[in-house]
Amino acid sequence: MTEISYAQYRAMRRFPALDGLRAIAAVIVIAFHFGGPSWAWTSGWAGVQLFFVLSGFLITTLLLREEEGRGRVSLRSFYIRRGFRILPVYFVVLAATYALAHLNGKGSTVSDSMPHYLLMVNEFAPTLGYLHSWTIAIEWKFYLAWPLLAFVLAAASARRRLTATLLAIVGLAAMIPFTPDWPYWPVHYVSILLGCLLAIVMHHPRGYALVRPLTRPVVAVVVSIGFVAAHLSLHYWPATEHPRLEIMIAGYSVAVALLLPAMLAPGLPQKLLSWRPLVFVGERSYSLYLVQQLAVAVVVGLVPSYETRGTKLFVAATVVGLLAADLLYRWVEQPMIQVGRRLSTSGRTSPPAPVVAPTEPAPAADRSVPHQPLPENRLPERPEPAWVPNNRPASATYTPL
């Protein structure tokens, strides 16, 4: 099989492999938190960089195609969709987390940081009650700022967007002092912006030509193997006094950016990542990520012998978390997403873009007709956030809320 042409890429309404990537990233994050030393080889903390790069790539692709199809980006619609996608489940789980902590006499572990959680500055929260949600705060601030930078200040100009993105990456990198107590948050925005940069490059014919060789099926297999090897090598990063984690994170994010074009190619990697059980988990990975701490509290409450971090706790927490995530997905996520879509499209008169079945080869684009924006029900706007290690050492035993 040959490479995917630029016209075929622009005609795609869904990237089938991304749900599988989400599922794997979410599960290895739980393994990192609760699997103990026997799962350290998975380097699950790095899953967050995969999510961040995916987020930048998908959001920017969606906005670029909306701008091209409609002539401009509707910030109102974008913010409404994002709000109804992210916030309802976030606040439901926050309320459940506080309630459980309060019942266990540890309400202060959440209430002391409640202003941070309500204002979405979770990365600066002083307590551990809902600490893993700091990545959602990172994503949220990106959602607020990026459309203004790329689609207002640098509207309708690929060159200005590229310049703005590169300057933002350099500026954020310059904020990292490269000290043991480095403020980790700037490097995560660098990861997101690498995904944005990839989307901007691939949106235009000249840029797409640079990454098009990665869409050959054989090359995609080689790239996938190389990425897995790079991921597994993270476990052997030099454990020195100053391990330069920011360099490792940035390098891994670049590897993710190279992986994404390869995942467009039909072939073995895409087929494996489109496996239905992986898609099922991937679709629920946002709620799964949010409820993981509650799931562990339930597991330890029912089976106290599982309180030590290890395979039993990891597997049990994943199963319980997935059951809870499925309920949230059906009863909170999907209904609220539909509400957001209805509100965001109120007043619009243009018909929705046609849907292309994800399992069929993408047809060549008709250049005589302006390209339509991606419908939200085919191309997800955001990958769900995950957690990365912080400066607090993890104990061998889980401490329930």
Side-chain angles (χ1 to χ4, degrees), residues 341-401:
R341 286 175 182 162
R342 288 195 296 270
L343 292 176
S344 69
T345 56
S346 62
R348 286 187 178 182
T349 58
S350 57
V355 173
V356 176
T359 57
E360 295 295 327
D366 183 356
R367 296 183 181 274
S368 65
V369 180
H371 188 79
Q372 295 294 318
L374 273 72
E376 290 181 77
N377 64 326
R378 304 308 295 172
L379 179 63
E381 283 191 56
R382 59 104 203 100
E384 292 67 25
W387 199 30
V388 297
N390 53 54
N391 293 329
R392 299 180 177 90
S395 62
T397 303
Y398 169 71
T399 301
L401 292 171

Short mmCIF file of all heavy atoms in Angstrom, two decimals, residues 341-401:
data_model
loop_
_atom_site.label_atom_id
_atom_site.label_comp_id
_atom_site.label_asym_id
_atom_site.label_seq_id
_atom_site.Cartn_x
_atom_site.Cartn_y
_atom_site.Cartn_z
N ARG A 341 -23.24 20.55 22.56
CA ARG A 341 -23.35 20.65 21.11
C ARG A 341 -24.58 21.44 20.69
O ARG A 341 -24.53 22.27 19.77
CB ARG A 341 -23.37 19.26 20.49
CG ARG A 341 -22.04 18.56 20.51
CD ARG A 341 -22.15 17.14 20.00
NE ARG A 341 -20.86 16.46 20.06
CZ ARG A 341 -20.70 15.15 20.03
NH1 ARG A 341 -21.76 14.37 19.94
NH2 ARG A 341 -19.50 14.61 20.08
N ARG A 342 -25.70 21.18 21.37
CA ARG A 342 -26.92 21.91 21.02
C ARG A 342 -26.76 23.40 21.29
O ARG A 342 -27.15 24.24 20.47
CB ARG A 342 -28.11 21.34 21.79
CG ARG A 342 -28.57 19.97 21.31
CD ARG A 342 -29.95 19.65 21.85
NE ARG A 342 -29.96 19.55 23.30
CZ ARG A 342 -29.75 18.43 23.97
NH1 ARG A 342 -29.48 17.30 23.32
NH2 ARG A 342 -29.80 18.42 25.29
N LEU A 343 -26.19 23.73 22.44
CA LEU A 343 -26.01 25.14 22.78
C LEU A 343 -25.00 25.81 21.86
O LEU A 343 -25.16 26.97 21.49
CB LEU A 343 -25.57 25.28 24.24
CG LEU A 343 -26.59 24.89 25.30
CD1 LEU A 343 -25.98 24.99 26.69
CD2 LEU A 343 -27.83 25.79 25.20
N SER A 344 -23.96 25.08 21.50
CA SER A 344 -22.91 25.68 20.67
C SER A 344 -23.36 25.91 19.24
O SER A 344 -22.82 26.76 18.54
CB SER A 344 -21.66 24.79 20.67
OG SER A 344 -21.89 23.58 19.97
N THR A 345 -24.36 25.14 18.79
CA THR A 345 -24.82 25.30 17.41
C THR A 345 -26.10 26.11 17.31
O THR A 345 -26.62 26.31 16.20
CB THR A 345 -25.06 23.93 16.76
OG1 THR A 345 -26.00 23.18 17.56
CG2 THR A 345 -23.76 23.15 16.65
N SER A 346 -26.64 26.58 18.43
CA SER A 346 -27.86 27.38 18.38
C SER A 346 -27.59 28.66 17.60
O SER A 346 -26.61 29.36 17.82
CB SER A 346 -28.33 27.72 19.79
OG SER A 346 -27.36 28.49 20.47
N GLY A 347 -28.46 28.93 16.64
CA GLY A 347 -28.30 30.12 15.82
C GLY A 347 -27.56 29.88 14.54
O GLY A 347 -27.55 30.73 13.65
N ARG A 348 -26.91 28.73 14.40
CA ARG A 348 -26.21 28.42 13.15
C ARG A 348 -27.21 27.87 12.13
O ARG A 348 -28.10 27.09 12.46
CB ARG A 348 -25.12 27.38 13.39
CG ARG A 348 -23.89 27.93 14.10
CD ARG A 348 -22.81 26.88 14.12
NE ARG A 348 -21.60 27.37 14.75
CZ ARG A 348 -20.47 26.66 14.87
NH1 ARG A 348 -20.43 25.44 14.36
NH2 ARG A 348 -19.42 27.16 15.46
N THR A 349 -27.00 28.25 10.90
CA THR A 349 -27.90 27.79 9.83
C THR A 349 -27.23 26.83 8.87
O THR A 349 -27.89 26.20 8.06
CB THR A 349 -28.41 29.00 9.03
OG1 THR A 349 -27.29 29.71 8.50
CG2 THR A 349 -29.22 29.93 9.93
N SER A 350 -25.89 26.72 8.94
CA SER A 350 -25.20 25.85 8.00
C SER A 350 -25.39 24.40 8.39
O SER A 350 -25.41 24.06 9.57
CB SER A 350 -23.71 26.18 7.96
OG SER A 350 -23.16 26.06 9.25
N PRO A 351 -25.55 23.48 7.43
CA PRO A 351 -25.76 22.07 7.73
C PRO A 351 -24.49 21.44 8.25
O PRO A 351 -23.40 21.91 7.99
CB PRO A 351 -26.16 21.47 6.37
CG PRO A 351 -25.49 22.37 5.37
CD PRO A 351 -25.53 23.75 5.98
N PRO A 352 -24.63 20.34 9.00
CA PRO A 352 -23.44 19.65 9.49
C PRO A 352 -22.66 19.02 8.35
O PRO A 352 -23.21 18.71 7.30
CB PRO A 352 -24.01 18.57 10.43
CG PRO A 352 -25.39 18.35 9.93
CD PRO A 352 -25.87 19.67 9.40
N ALA A 353 -21.37 18.83 8.60
CA ALA A 353 -20.52 18.21 7.59
C ALA A 353 -20.88 16.74 7.44
O ALA A 353 -21.33 16.09 8.38
CB ALA A 353 -19.05 18.35 7.97
N PRO A 354 -20.72 16.17 6.25
CA PRO A 354 -21.03 14.75 6.06
C PRO A 354 -20.10 13.87 6.86
O PRO A 354 -18.96 14.22 7.12
CB PRO A 354 -20.81 14.56 4.55
CG PRO A 354 -19.86 15.64 4.16
CD PRO A 354 -20.20 16.81 5.03
N VAL A 355 -20.62 12.72 7.26
CA VAL A 355 -19.85 11.78 8.06
C VAL A 355 -19.24 10.72 7.15
O VAL A 355 -19.92 10.17 6.29
CB VAL A 355 -20.75 11.12 9.12
CG1 VAL A 355 -19.99 10.02 9.83
CG2 VAL A 355 -21.24 12.16 10.12
N VAL A 356 -17.97 10.44 7.37
CA VAL A 356 -17.29 9.39 6.62
C VAL A 356 -17.10 8.21 7.55
O VAL A 356 -16.58 8.36 8.65
CB VAL A 356 -15.92 9.88 6.10
CG1 VAL A 356 -15.19 8.75 5.40
CG2 VAL A 356 -16.12 11.05 5.14
N ALA A 357 -17.54 7.04 7.15
CA ALA A 357 -17.41 5.86 8.00
C ALA A 357 -15.95 5.62 8.33
O ALA A 357 -15.10 5.62 7.44
CB ALA A 357 -17.99 4.64 7.28
N PRO A 358 -15.60 5.42 9.61
CA PRO A 358 -14.20 5.31 10.00
C PRO A 358 -13.51 4.08 9.44
O PRO A 358 -12.29 4.05 9.37
CB PRO A 358 -14.27 5.25 11.53
CG PRO A 358 -15.64 4.76 11.84
CD PRO A 358 -16.52 5.31 10.75
N THR A 359 -14.25 3.05 9.04
CA THR A 359 -13.60 1.83 8.57
C THR A 359 -13.37 1.82 7.07
O THR A 359 -12.77 0.90 6.55
CB THR A 359 -14.46 0.61 8.94
OG1 THR A 359 -15.76 0.78 8.37
CG2 THR A 359 -14.57 0.48 10.45
N GLU A 360 -13.89 2.85 6.37
CA GLU A 360 -13.72 2.88 4.92
C GLU A 360 -12.54 3.75 4.54
O GLU A 360 -12.21 4.72 5.23
CB GLU A 360 -15.00 3.45 4.28
CG GLU A 360 -16.22 2.57 4.50
CD GLU A 360 -16.07 1.24 3.82
OE1 GLU A 360 -15.44 1.20 2.75
OE2 GLU A 360 -16.56 0.23 4.35
N PRO A 361 -11.87 3.46 3.41
CA PRO A 361 -10.79 4.32 2.97
C PRO A 361 -11.31 5.72 2.70
O PRO A 361 -12.40 5.90 2.18
CB PRO A 361 -10.31 3.65 1.67
CG PRO A 361 -10.81 2.25 1.76
CD PRO A 361 -12.08 2.31 2.55
N ALA A 362 -10.52 6.74 3.09
CA ALA A 362 -10.94 8.11 2.91
C ALA A 362 -10.91 8.47 1.44
O ALA A 362 -9.92 8.24 0.76
CB ALA A 362 -10.01 9.04 3.69
N PRO A 363 -11.98 9.06 0.91
CA PRO A 363 -12.00 9.43 -0.50
C PRO A 363 -11.16 10.66 -0.74
O PRO A 363 -10.89 11.44 0.17
CB PRO A 363 -13.49 9.73 -0.74
CG PRO A 363 -13.99 10.19 0.58
CD PRO A 363 -13.23 9.37 1.61
N ALA A 364 -10.76 10.83 -1.99
CA ALA A 364 -10.01 12.02 -2.34
C ALA A 364 -10.90 13.24 -2.22
O ALA A 364 -12.08 13.22 -2.55
CB ALA A 364 -9.47 11.91 -3.77
N ALA A 365 -10.32 14.34 -1.72
CA ALA A 365 -11.09 15.56 -1.53
C ALA A 365 -11.35 16.25 -2.85
O ALA A 365 -10.50 16.26 -3.74
CB ALA A 365 -10.34 16.50 -0.59
N ASP A 366 -12.54 16.84 -2.98
CA ASP A 366 -12.88 17.61 -4.16
C ASP A 366 -12.37 19.03 -3.95
O ASP A 366 -12.88 19.77 -3.12
CB ASP A 366 -14.40 17.60 -4.35
CG ASP A 366 -14.81 18.34 -5.62
OD1 ASP A 366 -13.92 18.91 -6.30
OD2 ASP A 366 -16.01 18.35 -5.92
N ARG A 367 -11.36 19.43 -4.68
CA ARG A 367 -10.75 20.72 -4.48
C ARG A 367 -11.64 21.86 -4.97
O ARG A 367 -11.35 23.03 -4.73
CB ARG A 367 -9.40 20.78 -5.19
CG ARG A 367 -8.39 19.80 -4.62
CD ARG A 367 -7.05 19.93 -5.30
NE ARG A 367 -6.10 18.97 -4.76
CZ ARG A 367 -5.37 19.19 -3.69
NH1 ARG A 367 -5.48 20.31 -3.05
NH2 ARG A 367 -4.52 18.28 -3.26
N SER A 368 -12.70 21.55 -5.70
CA SER A 368 -13.59 22.60 -6.18
C SER A 368 -14.58 23.05 -5.12
O SER A 368 -15.27 24.03 -5.28
CB SER A 368 -14.35 22.12 -7.41
OG SER A 368 -15.23 21.05 -7.07
N VAL A 369 -14.66 22.31 -4.01
CA VAL A 369 -15.61 22.64 -2.95
C VAL A 369 -14.82 22.94 -1.69
O VAL A 369 -13.93 22.18 -1.32
CB VAL A 369 -16.57 21.44 -2.69
CG1 VAL A 369 -17.54 21.79 -1.59
CG2 VAL A 369 -17.30 21.08 -3.97
N PRO A 370 -15.13 24.03 -0.98
CA PRO A 370 -14.41 24.33 0.27
C PRO A 370 -14.53 23.19 1.25
O PRO A 370 -15.59 22.60 1.41
CB PRO A 370 -15.13 25.60 0.77
CG PRO A 370 -15.78 26.18 -0.44
CD PRO A 370 -16.13 25.03 -1.32
N HIS A 371 -13.43 22.87 1.91
CA HIS A 371 -13.42 21.74 2.85
C HIS A 371 -14.30 22.04 4.06
O HIS A 371 -14.27 23.12 4.61
CB HIS A 371 -12.00 21.48 3.31
CG HIS A 371 -11.88 20.23 4.11
ND1 HIS A 371 -11.84 18.98 3.53
CD2 HIS A 371 -11.82 20.04 5.45
CE1 HIS A 371 -11.73 18.07 4.47
NE2 HIS A 371 -11.73 18.68 5.64
N GLN A 372 -15.11 21.06 4.43
CA GLN A 372 -16.00 21.23 5.56
C GLN A 372 -15.29 20.94 6.87
O GLN A 372 -14.38 20.12 6.93
CB GLN A 372 -17.20 20.28 5.42
CG GLN A 372 -18.07 20.60 4.22
CD GLN A 372 -18.75 21.94 4.38
OE1 GLN A 372 -19.23 22.28 5.45
NE2 GLN A 372 -18.76 22.72 3.31
N PRO A 373 -15.69 21.58 7.96
CA PRO A 373 -15.06 21.31 9.25
C PRO A 373 -15.42 19.92 9.76
O PRO A 373 -16.45 19.35 9.37
CB PRO A 373 -15.67 22.38 10.17
CG PRO A 373 -16.99 22.70 9.54
CD PRO A 373 -16.77 22.56 8.05
N LEU A 374 -14.59 19.39 10.61
CA LEU A 374 -14.85 18.07 11.15
C LEU A 374 -16.02 18.12 12.11
O LEU A 374 -16.05 18.96 13.01
CB LEU A 374 -13.63 17.55 11.92
CG LEU A 374 -12.59 16.81 11.09
CD1 LEU A 374 -11.85 17.77 10.21
CD2 LEU A 374 -11.64 16.08 12.01
N PRO A 375 -17.01 17.24 11.95
CA PRO A 375 -18.06 17.17 12.95
C PRO A 375 -17.50 16.61 14.24
O PRO A 375 -16.68 15.70 14.23
CB PRO A 375 -19.08 16.21 12.32
CG PRO A 375 -18.29 15.38 11.37
CD PRO A 375 -17.18 16.28 10.86
N GLU A 376 -17.95 17.14 15.36
CA GLU A 376 -17.36 16.76 16.63
C GLU A 376 -17.60 15.30 16.99
O GLU A 376 -16.85 14.72 17.76
CB GLU A 376 -17.94 17.64 17.74
CG GLU A 376 -17.46 19.07 17.67
CD GLU A 376 -18.04 19.88 18.79
OE1 GLU A 376 -17.55 19.74 19.92
OE2 GLU A 376 -18.98 20.64 18.55
N ASN A 377 -18.65 14.71 16.43
CA ASN A 377 -18.92 13.33 16.80
C ASN A 377 -18.03 12.35 16.05
O ASN A 377 -18.10 11.15 16.28
CB ASN A 377 -20.40 13.00 16.54
CG ASN A 377 -20.74 13.09 15.05
OD1 ASN A 377 -20.19 13.92 14.34
ND2 ASN A 377 -21.65 12.24 14.61
N ARG A 378 -17.16 12.87 15.16
CA ARG A 378 -16.25 11.97 14.46
C ARG A 378 -14.81 12.16 14.86
O ARG A 378 -14.05 11.23 14.92
CB ARG A 378 -16.39 12.18 12.94
CG ARG A 378 -17.80 12.02 12.42
CD ARG A 378 -18.44 10.74 12.84
NE ARG A 378 -17.78 9.57 12.30
CZ ARG A 378 -18.08 8.34 12.66
NH1 ARG A 378 -18.99 8.11 13.58
NH2 ARG A 378 -17.44 7.33 12.12
N LEU A 379 -14.41 13.38 15.11
CA LEU A 379 -13.05 13.62 15.55
C LEU A 379 -13.08 14.17 16.95
O LEU A 379 -13.51 15.29 17.16
CB LEU A 379 -12.34 14.61 14.63
CG LEU A 379 -10.90 14.95 15.02
CD1 LEU A 379 -10.03 13.71 14.94
CD2 LEU A 379 -10.34 16.04 14.14
N PRO A 380 -12.66 13.40 17.95
CA PRO A 380 -12.68 13.89 19.31
C PRO A 380 -11.84 15.15 19.44
O PRO A 380 -10.79 15.27 18.85
CB PRO A 380 -12.08 12.73 20.13
CG PRO A 380 -12.21 11.54 19.24
CD PRO A 380 -12.12 12.05 17.84
N GLU A 381 -12.30 16.09 20.28
CA GLU A 381 -11.59 17.34 20.43
C GLU A 381 -10.41 17.23 21.38
O GLU A 381 -9.46 17.97 21.29
CB GLU A 381 -12.53 18.42 20.99
CG GLU A 381 -13.48 18.97 19.97
CD GLU A 381 -14.16 20.19 20.50
OE1 GLU A 381 -13.47 21.13 20.90
OE2 GLU A 381 -15.39 20.20 20.53
N ARG A 382 -10.49 16.35 22.29
CA ARG A 382 -9.40 16.33 23.25
C ARG A 382 -9.15 14.91 23.75
O ARG A 382 -10.04 14.13 23.98
CB ARG A 382 -9.69 17.23 24.44
CG ARG A 382 -10.95 16.83 25.18
CD ARG A 382 -10.61 16.12 26.47
NE ARG A 382 -11.71 15.30 26.87
CZ ARG A 382 -11.77 14.01 26.66
NH1 ARG A 382 -10.81 13.40 26.06
NH2 ARG A 382 -12.79 13.31 27.04
N PRO A 383 -7.91 14.60 23.94
CA PRO A 383 -7.56 13.41 24.66
C PRO A 383 -7.62 13.67 26.14
O PRO A 383 -7.36 14.77 26.58
CB PRO A 383 -6.13 13.14 24.23
CG PRO A 383 -5.62 14.46 23.89
CD PRO A 383 -6.79 15.31 23.45
N GLU A 384 -7.93 12.69 26.89
CA GLU A 384 -8.09 12.92 28.31
C GLU A 384 -6.74 13.05 28.99
O GLU A 384 -5.80 12.34 28.69
CB GLU A 384 -8.86 11.77 28.94
CG GLU A 384 -10.32 11.69 28.51
CD GLU A 384 -10.50 11.34 27.07
OE1 GLU A 384 -9.60 10.70 26.50
OE2 GLU A 384 -11.51 11.73 26.49
N PRO A 385 -6.66 13.94 29.98
CA PRO A 385 -5.40 14.12 30.66
C PRO A 385 -5.05 12.96 31.56
O PRO A 385 -5.89 12.19 31.98
CB PRO A 385 -5.62 15.39 31.51
CG PRO A 385 -6.89 15.99 31.01
CD PRO A 385 -7.68 14.86 30.40
N ALA A 386 -3.79 12.86 31.89
CA ALA A 386 -3.32 11.86 32.83
C ALA A 386 -2.31 12.51 33.76
O ALA A 386 -2.00 13.68 33.63
CB ALA A 386 -2.70 10.68 32.09
N TRP A 387 -1.79 11.74 34.67
CA TRP A 387 -0.91 12.29 35.69
C TRP A 387 0.53 12.00 35.37
O TRP A 387 0.86 11.06 34.66
CB TRP A 387 -1.29 11.67 37.03
CG TRP A 387 -0.82 12.44 38.21
CD1 TRP A 387 -0.63 13.78 38.31
CD2 TRP A 387 -0.49 11.90 39.49
NE1 TRP A 387 -0.22 14.11 39.56
CE2 TRP A 387 -0.12 12.98 40.30
CE3 TRP A 387 -0.48 10.61 40.00
CZ2 TRP A 387 0.26 12.80 41.63
CZ3 TRP A 387 -0.10 10.44 41.32
CH2 TRP A 387 0.26 11.53 42.12
N VAL A 388 1.42 12.81 35.91
CA VAL A 388 2.85 12.56 35.83
C VAL A 388 3.43 12.64 37.22
O VAL A 388 2.80 13.16 38.12
CB VAL A 388 3.57 13.58 34.91
CG1 VAL A 388 3.06 13.45 33.50
CG2 VAL A 388 3.38 14.99 35.41
N PRO A 389 4.64 12.15 37.43
CA PRO A 389 5.20 12.16 38.77
C PRO A 389 5.44 13.59 39.24
O PRO A 389 5.75 14.48 38.46
CB PRO A 389 6.52 11.41 38.61
CG PRO A 389 6.86 11.55 37.18
CD PRO A 389 5.55 11.58 36.46
N ASN A 390 5.30 13.78 40.53
CA ASN A 390 5.63 15.07 41.10
C ASN A 390 6.77 14.88 42.09
O ASN A 390 7.35 13.82 42.19
CB ASN A 390 4.41 15.70 41.77
CG ASN A 390 3.78 14.77 42.79
OD1 ASN A 390 4.46 14.29 43.68
ND2 ASN A 390 2.49 14.50 42.66
N ASN A 391 7.06 15.90 42.84
CA ASN A 391 8.20 15.81 43.75
C ASN A 391 7.88 15.06 45.04
O ASN A 391 8.76 14.90 45.88
CB ASN A 391 8.68 17.22 44.09
CG ASN A 391 9.26 17.92 42.88
OD1 ASN A 391 9.81 17.26 42.01
ND2 ASN A 391 9.12 19.23 42.81
N ARG A 392 6.63 14.65 45.19
CA ARG A 392 6.28 13.90 46.41
C ARG A 392 6.53 12.41 46.18
O ARG A 392 5.96 11.82 45.27
CB ARG A 392 4.81 14.12 46.75
CG ARG A 392 4.45 15.57 47.04
CD ARG A 392 2.94 15.65 47.37
NE ARG A 392 2.56 16.99 47.71
CZ ARG A 392 2.14 17.88 46.81
NH1 ARG A 392 2.10 17.55 45.55
NH2 ARG A 392 1.78 19.10 47.19
N PRO A 393 7.36 11.75 46.97
CA PRO A 393 7.61 10.33 46.76
C PRO A 393 6.39 9.49 47.07
O PRO A 393 5.65 9.80 48.00
CB PRO A 393 8.76 10.04 47.76
CG PRO A 393 8.60 11.08 48.81
CD PRO A 393 8.09 12.31 48.12
N ALA A 394 6.17 8.45 46.29
CA ALA A 394 5.04 7.58 46.50
C ALA A 394 5.38 6.53 47.55
O ALA A 394 6.46 5.94 47.53
CB ALA A 394 4.63 6.89 45.20
N SER A 395 4.46 6.31 48.48
CA SER A 395 4.69 5.29 49.50
C SER A 395 4.27 3.94 48.95
O SER A 395 3.59 3.83 47.94
CB SER A 395 3.86 5.63 50.75
OG SER A 395 2.49 5.62 50.44
N ALA A 396 4.67 2.89 49.62
CA ALA A 396 4.37 1.55 49.14
C ALA A 396 2.95 1.16 49.44
O ALA A 396 2.42 0.23 48.86
CB ALA A 396 5.32 0.55 49.81
N THR A 397 2.28 1.87 50.36
CA THR A 397 0.93 1.54 50.76
C THR A 397 -0.01 2.67 50.43
O THR A 397 0.32 3.83 50.66
CB THR A 397 0.88 1.26 52.29
OG1 THR A 397 1.79 0.21 52.60
CG2 THR A 397 -0.53 0.87 52.71
N TYR A 398 -1.14 2.34 49.86
CA TYR A 398 -2.11 3.36 49.53
C TYR A 398 -2.78 3.86 50.80
O TYR A 398 -3.19 3.09 51.65
CB TYR A 398 -3.18 2.80 48.59
CG TYR A 398 -4.35 3.72 48.42
CD1 TYR A 398 -4.21 4.90 47.69
CD2 TYR A 398 -5.56 3.45 49.01
CE1 TYR A 398 -5.27 5.76 47.54
CE2 TYR A 398 -6.63 4.32 48.86
CZ TYR A 398 -6.48 5.47 48.13
OH TYR A 398 -7.53 6.32 48.00
N THR A 399 -2.90 5.17 50.93
CA THR A 399 -3.57 5.78 52.07
C THR A 399 -4.94 6.23 51.60
O THR A 399 -5.05 7.15 50.78
CB THR A 399 -2.80 6.99 52.61
OG1 THR A 399 -1.49 6.57 52.98
CG2 THR A 399 -3.51 7.59 53.81
N PRO A 400 -6.02 5.59 52.09
CA PRO A 400 -7.35 5.93 51.62
C PRO A 400 -7.76 7.33 52.05
O PRO A 400 -7.22 7.87 53.02
CB PRO A 400 -8.25 4.86 52.25
CG PRO A 400 -7.50 4.40 53.45
CD PRO A 400 -6.04 4.51 53.10
N LEU A 401 -8.73 7.90 51.33
CA LEU A 401 -9.23 9.23 51.65
C LEU A 401 -9.88 9.23 53.02
O LEU A 401 -10.55 8.30 53.39
CB LEU A 401 -10.25 9.67 50.60
CG LEU A 401 -9.70 9.94 49.21
CD1 LEU A 401 -10.86 10.14 48.24
CD2 LEU A 401 -8.79 11.15 49.21
#
